[in-house]
Amino acid sequence: MPMEKGSISKEGEDGVTMKITRKRPLEQQDVEEENEPEVDYMVSIDNEDDDDLTDSDSSEYSDLEDEDDDSDDLDDEDSEEGEEEEKGEENEEEEDKTETEKVKENGIESTHQPESTSKQQKKPGKQLVDKEENNDASTNSKGSQEKEYDEYEEDSSDEEDLRNTIGNVPLNWYNEYPHLGYDVDGKPILKPVRGDKLDEFLSRTENPDYFRTIFDKQTGQEVRLTDEDLDAVKRVVGSRIPDANYDMYEPWIDTFTHEVMEMPLSGRPEHKRSFIPSKAEKERVSRIVDLMKTGRWAPRKLKKDDRFVYYNLWKSDNETQQMQRIHNHMPAPKLKLPGHEESYNPPPEYLFTEVEKERWHSLKDEPYKRRYPFIPRKFTSVRNIPAWKTFLSERFERCLDLYLCPRKRISRIKARAKDLLPELPKPQDLRPFPTKEELIFKGHRSIIRTIAVHRDGKYLASGSDDRTVKIWEVSTGRCLRSFDMEGAVKCVSWNPNPKLFLLAVVVEKDVICLNPETYMTDKVVVQQTNSIFKEEPDQGDYIQPDRVKSAVTWRKATDEEWAKGWRIVVTHFKSVKSIVWHRQGDYFATVIPEGDNRSVLMHQMSRWRSQVPFYKAKGRVQCVQFHPKLPFLFVVTQSHIRVYNLQKQQLTKKVQANSKWVSSLAVHPGGEHFLIGCYDRRVTWFEMECTKRPHILRMHTQAVRSVGFHRKYPLFASCSDDGRIIVSHGMVYNDWLKDPLLVPVKELFGHDRFDDLYALDLVWHPHEPYLLTAGADATIRLWH
């Protein structure tokens, strides 16, 4: 059978390079070429005397030395090459087959095992080769039981391994830098490039190991968790021991015995006298027993110190009280601990200036208004501190406090704060109510003090200090008409009669009734309103009393005033503050705060008649209001609310306002409740049947200017000088024993500050949950 020849090349005297090609039958070579390529072995010998063999730098297969050490076998094969050729090809083929079968039996794959191994085992003169062959044979025998571990299989030394060299510091310090620490050469270590959200999405969909890949913040790399790590994580999440091989119920190994062994400290036997009682103690005990029997022995008494005598200041003749004081001791109140101001060397900010000293001395008659009961002083040392001047007086006052201070034990209620608060519904469940600003009505040039909405909700009237009255369209905010007055407008009010289109305006001493007809107003209603005031009503035999005649004067508008829209003018003897219409629209009441006993006047528009209902002043009248259903009149003074029955002409109820100065009043549409606003920052809700227990709402921090109820919805609002308009939910129940539900639901801000004033008046829309407010910034705002 033809054989493939090998080639040998030598270079120089110091080193020899040999290239050896494995010899095998050509037929076998063709078959094995598919699974195993031809391998060339390069051996470089630098020195003949050196026994160590190293790989050549130019060798492409230098890494194969770790798998099979063939350098020594090749040396032996070169020396005996001639002898091997003479033995024939048949022996070589048989040896190769034998070697291949042995390798298959051991289960080890050999990619480049040379054929000369079996030949070299027969040479006894080569001890080093035999030793290595023996090592290879032992390795192959072990391979049948387990696979040989290759330490270079998981070697990643060729890859650049970025590590965190900055230590245990916050990594966000390097957020603005492209590097993360420095290496041993002082060069910055660049951060690994991380993909964006699209890369993360692709990795999530395509990478099967995405669920087990985490980002290491210390090194800035992505780490793939092994199966052991995933198992540990699952066990920790499941509240189990991370190590699956750990047995927490393994049998206990008692390393040290738990049995206590009783053994003496010494092996010396105890003496006999340790078991026999002492004779001296026996004689002493017998002597004490004899004395006790004869009554001559008594226990030792404590010496009483008579130098100090103590008196019980709270002594009582009742002994039970004395025993109670012993068992239920009530300690005296403690003194206040000294502060920095009482130090001999206080800080500079605690020392008084000359102005503070003068003010301190000026409060001699009112010492309770002083900042401190003494003037703080500074000393350089403790030895320079003089005696306290008022020491004896303070000690005496302290004794008086202890003697005169009453003591009473009060049982404290153990309750949580949230248990004492009522359960209020959520504001979302109490809708509808205004939450935002919808429209702004601009046109006035000064403070708007009063506004009023027509009963159909289409028109809004406003009065300002710029001596104008304007009629607005509520839905659009347009100004339809404007009327010039002779003075500042203090109050406007629409007539509630649906057959009349009439507006009452208060200007100084006059109450002017206007017909503010517009192109949108019903012409029939306008003509009917004008026809009523064309002629004066016939008074007949009626003679006006002098008391009323000197207070009120009725007159018809002149031709010029009629062209302006005026119809009648009611002139009073002093300035009028407000006007209120009765629900039928024929009567109205005016308030004159400086009118004394004629502060409230009642007027009948159909007959042009007036009357003074009260003959005696009960205080400065702030405002009046008619009852929505009954013939009652609410008269509000600075500190009281009086309810009069107009039909019976008598006082029905007098309510104390619990306030120093009442500013406004609003009556609930049902008539059983009313609301007052006060200049002392409070809003008070009263019930007609139980006025002694009002509901006080402390929601504002400044004076309350106006309050108002909605006619249809359970809503009320209040405006104040603190710039806030608070909308509240007020549900009234038919059961009089059940208190109304009062819940603040919204705070509205919008008016600008002018002369320390914000919103001065408010009014609700008659049909919708809309709120309109008039402000000192010359604007009217609609809250939707």
Side-chain angles (χ1 to χ4, degrees):
M1 183 180 296
M3 302 292 291
E4 184 184 1
K5 301 296 183 177
S7 62
I8 302 175
S9 62
K10 296 183 180 180
E11 294 180 4
E13 297 179 355
D14 297 335
V16 179
T17 302
M18 294 177 293
K19 182 176 183 183
I20 303 172
T21 304
R22 177 179 297 176
K23 298 178 181 179
R24 69 186 74 176
L26 295 177
E27 297 177 357
Q28 184 178 358
Q29 181 179 1
D30 297 335
V31 176
E32 295 180 358
E33 280 181 353
E34 299 178 358
N35 301 327
E36 178 181 358
E38 181 180 351
V39 181
D40 294 341
Y41 293 86
M42 301 297 295
V43 180
S44 176
I45 303 175
D46 296 335
N47 194 355
E48 294 178 355
D49 299 334
D50 296 338
D51 295 332
D52 298 332
L53 299 177
T54 59
D55 296 341
S56 175
D57 297 337
S58 62
S59 174
E60 299 177 359
Y61 303 94
S62 59
D63 57 333
L64 299 176
E65 183 182 353
D66 296 334
E67 299 181 359
D68 293 312
D69 192 359
D70 300 332
S71 60
D72 294 337
D73 297 342
L74 294 174
D75 293 339
D76 296 338
E77 185 178 358
D78 183 42
S79 62
E80 300 175 1
E81 181 180 4
E83 297 177 0
E84 296 295 335
E85 292 179 356
E86 296 176 357
K87 290 182 181 181
E89 298 175 356
E90 296 179 358
N91 296 334
E92 292 178 357
E93 184 178 358
E94 294 176 358
E95 290 175 0
D96 291 337
K97 292 181 178 181
T98 305
E99 184 179 359
T100 305
E101 292 175 357
K102 290 180 179 181
V103 172
K104 292 182 178 181
E105 292 177 359
N106 295 331
I108 304 175
E109 296 180 359
S110 177
T111 59
H112 49 274
Q113 183 70 21
E115 300 174 355
S116 60
T117 305
S118 60
K119 301 175 184 179
Q120 294 171 1
Q121 291 179 355
K122 300 178 182 179
K123 302 215 178 273
K126 303 296 181 176
Q127 297 178 359
L128 179 60
V129 177
D130 295 341
K131 184 177 179 180
E132 293 179 356
E133 290 176 355
N134 294 333
N135 293 335
D136 296 338
S138 61
T139 303
N140 294 334
S141 62
K142 294 179 180 179
S144 60
Q145 298 178 1
E146 67 181 52
K147 188 177 181 180
E148 182 181 359
Y149 174 74
D150 189 1
E151 61 180 345
Y152 299 102
E153 182 180 356
E154 298 179 359
D155 187 11
S156 61
S157 60
D158 295 338
E159 301 176 1
E160 184 179 1
D161 189 10
L162 297 178
R163 295 294 179 185
N164 180 9
T165 61
I166 61 175
N168 189 15
V169 299
L171 295 181
N172 53 11
W173 293 357
Y174 288 86
N175 289 341
E176 299 178 358
Y177 300 96
H179 65 278
L180 183 65
Y182 304 89
D183 57 5
V184 294
D185 297 333
K187 297 181 180 180
I189 300 176
L190 298 180
K191 296 180 181 178
V193 179
R194 297 194 65 189
D196 53 3
K197 295 294 184 179
L198 181 58
D199 295 336
E200 183 181 358
F201 173 74
L202 294 177
S203 178
R204 188 188 303 115
T205 56
E206 297 177 358
N207 187 7
D209 295 336
Y210 176 80
F211 72 97
R212 63 194 311 164
T213 304
I214 62 174
F215 177 73
D216 189 0
K217 295 183 180 179
Q218 292 295 113
T219 60
Q221 296 179 348
E222 292 185 353
V223 181
R224 178 184 177 275
L225 299 179
T226 61
D227 295 338
E228 292 78 6
D229 297 337
L230 289 177
D231 182 64
V233 171
K234 292 179 181 179
R235 295 180 68 87
V236 170
V237 173
S239 302
R240 293 181 292 174
I241 299 175
D243 189 1
N245 298 326
Y246 177 76
D247 185 11
M248 60 184 301
Y249 300 105
E250 61 183 1
W252 169 258
I253 300 176
D254 194 1
T255 306
F256 302 96
T257 178
H258 62 279
E259 298 178 358
V260 181
M261 301 178 64
E262 297 181 359
M263 55 186 304
L265 298 178
S266 65
R268 186 185 63 178
E270 294 184 3
H271 198 273
K272 183 179 179 181
R273 62 173 171 265
S274 62
F275 301 95
I276 301 175
S278 174
K279 293 182 179 180
E281 292 181 358
K282 181 179 179 182
E283 292 177 358
R284 183 182 178 185
V285 171
S286 61
R287 184 168 60 255
I288 293 175
V289 171
D290 294 339
L291 293 175
M292 293 176 65
K293 290 181 179 179
T294 57
R296 293 178 295 171
W297 184 87
R300 184 181 300 176
K301 295 182 179 181
L302 298 176
K303 294 182 180 180
K304 185 177 181 181
D305 192 357
D306 298 336
R307 292 179 298 172
F308 302 100
V309 181
Y310 303 97
Y311 298 95
N312 187 4
L313 299 179
W314 295 276
K315 186 176 181 180
S316 177
D317 297 336
N318 191 357
E319 294 297 332
T320 57
Q321 183 179 1
Q322 178 69 17
M323 296 302 297
Q324 184 179 3
R325 279 182 39 78
I326 294 175
H327 295 293
N328 299 328
H329 175 65
M330 288 183 291
K334 296 181 180 180
L335 290 173
K336 182 182 178 181
L337 296 177
H340 294 291
E341 66 277 359
E342 300 186 35
S343 174
Y344 76 94
N345 189 14
E349 58 267 17
Y350 288 91
L351 298 177
F352 283 2
T353 60
E354 296 297 332
V355 177
E356 292 177 343
K357 289 181 180 179
E358 294 178 1
R359 187 175 183 277
W360 191 88
H361 289 293
S362 63
L363 297 175
K364 183 177 180 180
D365 297 336
E366 298 176 340
Y368 59 90
K369 293 184 178 180
R370 291 174 174 174
R371 181 181 178 185
Y372 301 123
F374 59 91
I375 299 177
R377 300 174 59 188
K378 186 174 183 179
F379 301 95
T380 57
S381 62
V382 181
R383 291 182 298 176
N384 296 334
I385 302 176
W388 189 249
K389 296 181 181 180
T390 60
F391 175 76
L392 294 178
S393 61
E394 288 183 358
R395 294 301 95 190
F396 180 71
E397 291 179 358
R398 172 66 176 172
C399 293
L400 290 179
D401 293 340
L402 296 176
Y403 174 68
L404 300 176
C405 178
R407 301 185 186 183
K408 182 180 180 182
R409 186 175 297 276
I410 300 175
S411 59
R412 181 178 297 176
I413 301 175
K414 295 182 179 180
R416 294 178 297 179
K418 64 179 183 179
D419 296 338
L420 300 177
L421 296 176
E423 295 183 0
L424 299 178
K426 296 181 180 180
Q428 293 80 1
D429 301 336
L430 303 178
R431 290 181 177 179
F433 55 83
T435 57
K436 62 181 180 179
E437 182 181 291
E438 187 71 19
L439 289 176
I440 300 179
F441 300 80
K442 294 183 179 180
H444 287 286
R445 299 184 302 274
S446 184
I447 299 175
I448 302 175
R449 296 190 178 273
T450 176
I451 55 176
V453 181
H454 194 262
R455 66 185 310 276
D456 59 5
K458 296 181 180 180
Y459 306 102
L460 172 68
S462 61
S464 174
D465 287 352
D466 59 357
R467 299 184 177 185
T468 59
V469 174
K470 294 183 180 296
I471 308 300
W472 310 81
E473 186 181 5
V474 176
S475 59
T476 60
R478 292 186 302 163
C479 181
L480 302 178
R481 288 199 65 178
S482 180
F483 301 91
D484 295 331
M485 299 295 171
E486 298 177 356
V489 180
K490 297 181 180 179
C491 182
V492 293
S493 180
W494 290 95
N495 191 303
N497 191 350
K499 298 180 180 181
L500 299 178
F501 193 71
L502 190 66
L503 177 66
V505 180
V506 175
V507 180
E508 298 297 335
K509 299 180 181 180
D510 299 334
V511 176
I512 303 171
C513 293
L514 297 175
N515 184 3
E517 54 180 321
T518 62
Y519 68 92
M520 299 176 59
T521 312
D522 189 1
K523 302 300 182 181
V524 177
V525 177
V526 172
Q527 294 177 1
Q528 186 175 355
T529 304
N530 294 333
S531 61
I532 294 177
F533 301 104
K534 283 184 178 180
E535 297 180 358
E536 296 183 5
D538 185 11
Q539 300 294 335
D541 297 337
Y542 173 74
I543 299 175
Q544 190 175 13
D546 296 337
R547 188 165 178 263
V548 177
K549 188 175 183 180
S550 60
V552 181
T553 302
W554 292 72
R555 71 177 180 85
K556 183 182 176 181
T558 61
D559 295 339
E560 295 180 359
E561 294 175 346
W562 186 277
K564 294 180 181 179
W566 297 20
R567 296 299 177 259
I568 56 174
V569 179
V570 183
T571 305
H572 298 71
F573 69 105
K574 288 186 178 181
S575 297
V576 182
K577 180 181 179 182
S578 62
I579 178 175
V580 180
W581 288 95
H582 190 264
R583 64 181 183 276
Q584 294 180 357
D586 190 22
Y587 293 90
F588 63 92
T590 56
V591 177
I592 306 173
E594 291 81 9
D596 294 335
N597 56 353
R598 292 180 292 181
S599 297
V600 180
L601 296 176
M602 303 292 294
H603 310 276
Q604 186 178 7
M605 185 180 61
S606 59
R607 296 184 179 183
W608 290 23
R609 294 182 183 180
S610 303
Q611 61 178 347
V612 180
F614 307 108
Y615 290 90
K616 185 178 181 181
K618 301 292 184 179
R620 182 184 176 89
V621 180
Q622 296 295 116
C623 59
V624 295
Q625 194 70 253
F626 287 100
H627 195 279
K629 296 181 179 180
L630 301 176
F632 290 167
L633 179 66
F634 293 83
V635 179
V636 180
T637 58
Q638 290 183 353
S639 58
H640 292 82
I641 300 98
R642 293 176 173 84
V643 182
Y644 294 93
N645 191 332
L646 300 178
Q647 188 174 2
K648 297 181 180 180
Q649 299 182 0
Q650 63 182 8
L651 178 64
T652 303
K653 189 178 291 294
K654 180 181 179 182
V655 181
Q656 187 173 359
N658 297 326
S659 176
K660 296 180 180 179
W661 199 306
V662 179
S663 61
S664 56
L665 171 72
V667 182
H668 192 270
E672 299 296 333
H673 305 265
F674 61 91
L675 194 68
I676 62 171
C678 309
Y679 287 117
D680 55 359
R681 304 170 294 180
R682 292 188 296 180
V683 177
T684 309
W685 179 295
F686 286 93
E687 300 180 28
M688 291 290 293
E689 300 297 330
C690 185
T691 56
K692 295 183 179 180
R693 294 177 55 190
H695 304 277
I696 301 176
L697 306 177
R698 296 180 176 87
M699 301 180 294
H700 294 281
T701 58
Q702 296 294 332
V704 179
R705 291 290 177 176
S706 179
V707 294
F709 280 105
H710 198 284
R711 297 180 183 178
K712 182 179 178 182
Y713 295 95
L715 298 172
F716 68 93
S718 60
C719 60
S720 172
D721 289 343
D722 58 2
R724 297 188 301 166
I725 303 166
I726 299 180
V727 180
S728 303
H729 177 86
M731 176 60 71
V732 177
Y733 301 97
N734 294 329
D735 187 5
W736 289 359
L737 299 178
K738 190 174 182 179
D739 293 336
L741 178 62
L742 309 178
V743 182
V745 293
K746 189 63 179 179
E747 288 186 0
L748 303 176
F749 300 90
H751 287 284
D752 297 331
R753 181 180 179 183
F754 179 78
D755 197 14
D756 294 335
L757 299 175
Y758 288 93
L760 299 179
D761 193 14
L762 60 86
V763 63
W764 288 95
H765 193 277
H767 307 299
E768 301 295 336
Y770 300 160
L771 180 65
L772 295 104
T773 57
D777 55 353
T779 61
I780 303 172
R781 300 176 186 266
L782 173 64
W783 308 90
H784 180 265

